[in-house]
């Protein structure tokens, strides 16, 4: 839903930020731009990509993953006290939730397990237009290693819907990201990058449903976080529309090093319209 707040247009201050992610849909895709992921012209359909008071309630369920998925992906969580538990909360411990699209679970990426799948998605032209990670597996691997070897301020995850991996997510501390050079962030602001992998999963409201579910997950498990941020390319109308339908509002248009981005904000107190 569009915000009634005036749209601020912000120039590009400070030094250039390193490549990061943006919210694009290759539901397409949202791609990197200021945080961990690329930009480009919008594809015909959406493809997702990568940048209060008490916690909101969230319906949860016991999700039994198929045996073949568990065998390939495992259900192990990193040990307590790892960096992501300090900066973003223990994302690996977040339970599956019920979304309008089905049973959904965020599973932190493991390079040896997930690289082939993610490389295939990154080479889809609709995704590559925004993430700019098309090429050999090492291109995607280098992008992932930057996060996996970091201090936990960005956590890459697979999105598993009804037992099947079908999306890639990056949750990141926007206040610790280069995005903060271009937009006034607040402590513990959490950024979101998303892409939906299989083309047949794109559209039909799936991206909006999952964005709502992930927003509630973050706000429920990170009480210190009062806002989620996303920064899709302004040309990616499908991506921007899905974020707005999921309860984000347009706060500004900002010039990032590799794109002009729509800076979208989901406030803790803002409830999306069904």
């Amino acid at each position: 839903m569009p915000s009634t707040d005036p749209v601020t247009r912000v120039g590009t201050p400070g030094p250039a930020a390193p490549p990061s992610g943006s919210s694009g849909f290759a539901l397409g895709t949202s791609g990197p731009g200021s945080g961990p992921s690329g930009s480009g012209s919008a594809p015909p359909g959406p493809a997702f990509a990568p940048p209060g008071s008490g916690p909101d309630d969230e319906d949860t369920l016991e999700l039994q993953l198929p045996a073949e998925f568990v065998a390939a992906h495992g259900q192990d969580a990193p040990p307590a006290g790892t960096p992501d538990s300090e900066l973003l909360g223990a994302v690996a411990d977040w339970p599956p939730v019920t979304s309008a699209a089905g049973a959904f679970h965020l599973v932190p990426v493991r390079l040896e397990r997930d690289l082939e799948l993610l490389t295939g998605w990154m080479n889809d032209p609709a995704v590559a237009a925004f993430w700019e990670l098309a090429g050999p597996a090492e291109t995607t691997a280098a992008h992932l290693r930057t996060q996996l070897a970091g201090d936990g301020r960005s956590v890459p995850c697979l999105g598993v819907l009804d037992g099947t991996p079908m999306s890639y997510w990056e949750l990141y501390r926007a206040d610790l990201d280069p995005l903060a050079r271009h937009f006034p962030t607040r402590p513990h602001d959490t950024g979101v990058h998303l892409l939906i992998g299989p083309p047949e999963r794109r559209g039909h409201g799936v991206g909006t449903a999952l964005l709502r579910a992930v927003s509630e997950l973050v706000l429920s498990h990170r009480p210190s976080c009062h806002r989620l941020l996303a920064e899709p390319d302004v040309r990616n109308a499908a991506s921007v529309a899905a974020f707005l339908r999921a309860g984000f509002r347009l706060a500004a248009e900002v010039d990032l090093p590799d794109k002009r981005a729509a800076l979208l904000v989901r406030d803790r107190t803002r409830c999306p319209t069904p």
Side-chain angles (χ1 to χ4, degrees):
M1 63 183 73
S3 170
T4 56
D5 297 342
V7 176
T8 304
R9 296 181 180 271
V10 183
T12 311
S20 77
S22 83
S23 309
F25 291 24
L27 303 209
T29 322
S30 71
S34 80
S37 55
S39 72
S41 55
F48 286 34
S53 43
D56 296 352
D57 293 333
E58 174 68 35
D59 293 332
T60 62
L61 71 162
E62 294 297 326
L63 176 62
Q64 296 298 320
L65 298 179
E68 58 270 23
F69 178 80
V70 174
H73 290 67
Q75 290 180 306
D76 52 304
T82 51
D84 74 301
S85 66
E86 299 169 7
L87 289 170
L88 279 169
V91 177
D93 294 338
W94 293 359
V97 296
T98 303
S99 77
F104 183 73
H105 195 189
L106 281 178
V107 179
V109 163
R110 283 170 38 194
L111 193 62
E112 71 281 4
R113 177 193 70 193
D114 303 323
L115 181 58
E116 181 178 359
L117 177 66
L118 292 173
T119 299
W121 291 350
M122 293 300 181
N123 278 278
D124 181 327
V127 174
F130 292 94
W131 286 79
E132 299 183 345
L133 291 173
E138 180 54 34
T139 301
T140 298
H143 177 78
L144 294 170
R145 286 193 197 101
T146 300
Q147 299 171 80
L148 295 172
D151 61 6
R153 68 185 63 195
S154 181
V155 178
C157 296
L158 281 182
V160 180
L161 184 63
D162 292 331
T164 301
M166 48 71 66
S167 54
Y168 171 69
W169 299 74
E170 292 172 348
L171 302 180
Y172 66 97
R173 281 285 297 273
D175 57 321
L176 304 178
D177 186 82
L179 178 63
R181 302 173 186 168
H182 306 275
F183 182 79
T185 58
R186 300 173 186 171
H188 296 282
D189 277 353
T190 301
V192 180
H193 299 145
L194 162 65
L195 74 83
I196 291 182
E200 64 274 14
R201 293 280 196 170
R202 301 170 190 165
H204 316 294
V206 173
T208 295
L210 298 186
L211 281 168
R212 289 179 177 177
V214 169
S215 295
E216 294 303 324
L217 267 174
V218 172
L219 295 172
S220 294
H221 292 277
R222 298 201 64 236
S224 56
C225 172
H226 295 275
R227 303 192 308 178
L228 283 83
L229 306 182
E231 17 77 13
D233 193 301
V234 294
R235 296 168 294 175
N236 193 342
S239 176
V240 173
F243 276 98
L244 293 175
R245 288 193 297 267
F248 286 70
R249 60 181 171 83
L250 179 61
E253 290 184 5
V254 297
D255 292 314
L256 301 179
D258 58 354
K259 66 182 179 184
R260 184 163 186 82
L263 203 296
L264 302 165
V265 178
R266 163 70 154 87
D267 301 291
R268 177 176 286 278
T269 55
R270 186 181 181 88
C271 296
T273 302

